[in-house]
DNA sequence: TCGCCTGATAGTTGCC
DNA sequence: GGCAACTATCAGGCGA
């Protein structure tokens, strides 16, 4: 692997740098997102609920319903817990 | 602070050791929890939904309803998104 | 799953209760920790620095493990290369 | 909030759309990263080790910052002690 | 390919 | 009331 006299090393360096560049861009987008949520919050919206909205829009409807159905089954199975949860 | 000839140092050491012991116990309980979820999973339950159940039982009912209400307001505000989410 | 006449429900309940018990114990330990820090603070120590000390001691331990992990990664990589070369 | 006849709704929609756009870009960068690793792998490198390299380079950077933070903590602690002694 | 497990991200809580 | 640390959840990568 090192027997190619540094040829591979140059490739490796190139890969690493591409990776680090991409990760930096990703990080920057994360900052932007944080910024948008902060801005929305200062406008009076609730980031936590906004995240829920985004998550729901992203989530496949069938999948979401399936999960809700399973949750209901579990709560039903717990009997009085359901009552406690719903009271 | 160090001028008391190590008296405080002894106290500090005692505090640090109590802390580390408590943290170790906490960590161990975390392991136990993971274990229980794994066992439940192997029995056919869905850990993710179980966590939801635990969260709901813990969460104050009023608070939960409030959050759901706000979510609905947001989805309503988005109009056709609601339709997409509910379809 | 619910068609077994509550058999699974009993299991589910048992799991949930074990989980809630463990989480309660964890929470209690968290309280204890807070208590210790408060006590130390009232004795004149600085919680922030104590936390740093604990963190550093943990890191010292973790670092050794990190080194071992790194070594393993490199050995594994070498092993794979050997294997690749030997294929 | 919804009583303003959709004014806030328009804002909400704008925020949500900005968020979804940013998340899409982030996701795309994630794809790119995966691509680069795959390409490197097909060139004969070991993704696992490459990730380790990237991680270590990141840590080298972070470590310097960590040291500076620690120094500040200690200086702060000393300052507080001085203040406490001077009170 | 599936399950596990670690690393990344979001939420909560305590501190200032 | 905002900020920072910590915790819990989730997704992606790795190994079997």
């Amino acid at each position: 692997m090192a027997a190619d006299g540094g040829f591979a090393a140059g490739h490796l360096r190139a890969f690493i740098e591409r990776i680090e560049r991409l990760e930096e861009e990703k990080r920057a987008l994360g900052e932007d997102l944080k910024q948008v949520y902060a801005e929305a919050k200062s406008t009076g919206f609730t980031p936590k609920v906004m995240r829920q909205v985004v998550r729901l829009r992203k989530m496949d409807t069938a999948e979401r319903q399936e999960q809700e159905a399973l949750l209901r089954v579990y709560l039903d199975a717990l009997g009085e817990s359901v009552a406690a949860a719903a009271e």
Side-chain angles (χ1 to χ4, degrees), chain A residues 31-78:
Chain A
E31 292 291 305
D32 290 350
L33 272 167
K34 207 163 73 173
Q35 202 63 26
V36 174
Y37 277 112
E39 190 182 336
K41 181 176 184 177
S42 74
T43 310
F45 294 108
T46 309
K48 183 177 175 181
V49 178
M50 291 179 70
R51 288 178 191 278
Q52 281 187 73
V53 169
V54 171
R55 197 184 315 129
L56 287 173
R57 283 165 61 105
K58 182 165 42 183
M59 196 190 279
D60 179 74
T61 304
E63 185 181 356
R64 182 166 76 250
Q65 290 176 347
E66 182 178 357
Q67 189 162 311
E68 284 172 13
L70 186 55
L71 175 61
R72 176 166 295 273
V73 168
Y74 282 10
L75 289 175
D76 284 352
L78 290 175

Side-chain angles (χ1 to χ4, degrees), chain A residues 1-23:
Chain A
M1 186 182 280
D4 56 10
F7 183 66
H11 278 185
L12 180 60
R13 171 178 299 276
F15 281 128
I16 296 293
E17 285 171 358
R18 280 171 68 189
I19 288 164
E20 287 177 342
R21 174 127 204 284
L22 289 169
E23 290 199 341

